[in-house]
Amino acid sequence: FKKIPARSHNQDELSQMTATFNRMVDRLEESFQSQQQFVSDASHELNTTLMIIEGYANMLRRWGTRDEEIYKESLESIYEETQRMRTMTRQLLTLASSQQEEPEPYERIELIGCCGQIIAHLKPVHDRQITIFTDEKEIWFDANLVKIKQLLVILLDNALKYSSDPIEILLSTDEKDVHIRVKDYGIGIPEGEVKRVFERFYRVDSSRHRKTGGTGLGLPIAKAITDVHQGTIRIDSVEGEGTEVIVTLPRRQQEGLSPR
Ligand code: ADP
């Protein structure tokens, strides 16, 4: 793209059009660069995982038949890294679909029941205590059910991965919004890093998270989901004490509501 040179025109209208056009070019360039960065980060992440798989496959080929320890460790690691790659590719697809700007099919959702269902689904996998706190009997709002479930699963999955104590979900409403707070008492996030965790592929300590199976894509997906619902997401965290993720979503969607 080439910007129009900002010459001093007598006609106000023309210089205004030039300024608007130049702003559009800036925004397009920014978005193009961010797409390029994304493709490069995604390739890097997938490539790293493939290199690890290749390394273990080589170990297996060379020593696996003679050394049972190496045989077991290599097979286990290849399996784990393959799982990680599957998670990452699935999340990349989710992220792409979450950023589509087409109107979502919204419906009326009852939030307390929805959280209860997700806790029940997670129970056999984790068997940890997740408790809902709320003063309301029912909380209804307009949203895309699939995406809201994805959002809740991401936040709970993080709380499960990065803490070992019980987890709390606090639900409340005001006139305009519903508020969802997912609170854990785990490792927390260092102060300087909180603002970075919504960046794609960002992990506080990548070596630590290879063990927990993290990809750095969960929170960016959560952010894309709240954005598309015209809501907000923020994190309060104290390292060593715990983390609270606070999501606010409008009760009524203004635009793009396609009732079923
Ligand atoms: P990941 O798949 O690595 O969990 P996310 O995008 O969901 O990716 O989170 C990015 C990073 O933010 C994580 O790697 C972790 O370092 C940090 N993080 C997210 N949630 C929590 C939490 N509840 N407690 C502590 N750290 C967290």
Side-chain angles (χ1 to χ4, degrees), residues 109-121 132 134 136-141 145 149 152 171:
I109 295 175
E110 203 287 299
L111 185 59
I112 304 173
C114 181
C115 290
Q117 266 182 14
I118 290 170
I119 294 174
H121 285 151
I132 302 174
T134 181
E136 317 274 338
K137 279 214 180 77
E138 293 182 336
I139 297 177
W140 289 94
F141 72 121
L145 184 60
K149 282 187 172 169
L152 291 166
L171 303 176

Side-chain angles (χ1 to χ4, degrees), residues 1 3 22-38 200:
F1 300 106
K3 286 187 187 177
N22 286 347
R23 271 200 302 276
M24 275 168 57
V25 172
D26 278 345
R27 247 183 273 150
L28 272 172
E29 256 169 19
E30 238 171 64
S31 129
F32 184 62
Q33 272 166 14
S34 121
Q35 292 290 343
Q36 263 186 332
Q37 184 65 43
F38 179 47
R200 290 173 300 206

Side-chain angles (χ1 to χ4, degrees), residues 84 87 91 154-155 157-163 182-184 186-190 193 196-206 208-209 212-221 235 237 242-245:
R84 199 178 122 77
T87 308
Q91 285 184 327
I154 288 169
L155 302 186
D157 184 50
N158 277 351
L160 289 163
K161 274 191 300 202
Y162 305 117
S163 79
V182 176
K183 194 169 163 64
D184 68 62
I187 59 172
I189 302 170
E193 314 236 16
R196 301 209 56 194
V197 293
F198 292 105
E199 289 172 21
R200 290 173 300 206
F201 299 110
Y202 190 81
R203 274 161 276 158
V204 171
D205 171 350
S206 40
R208 175 178 60 169
H209 294 119
T212 52
T215 59
L217 287 170
L219 288 175
I221 295 174
I235 292 185
S237 186
T243 302
E244 184 169 350
V245 186

Side-chain angles (χ1 to χ4, degrees), residues 74-86:
S74 309
L75 265 192
E76 198 51 41
S77 303
I78 288 171
Y79 180 74
E80 273 171 22
E81 292 297 323
T82 318
Q83 292 297 102
R84 199 178 122 77
M85 204 151 167
R86 267 172 64 103

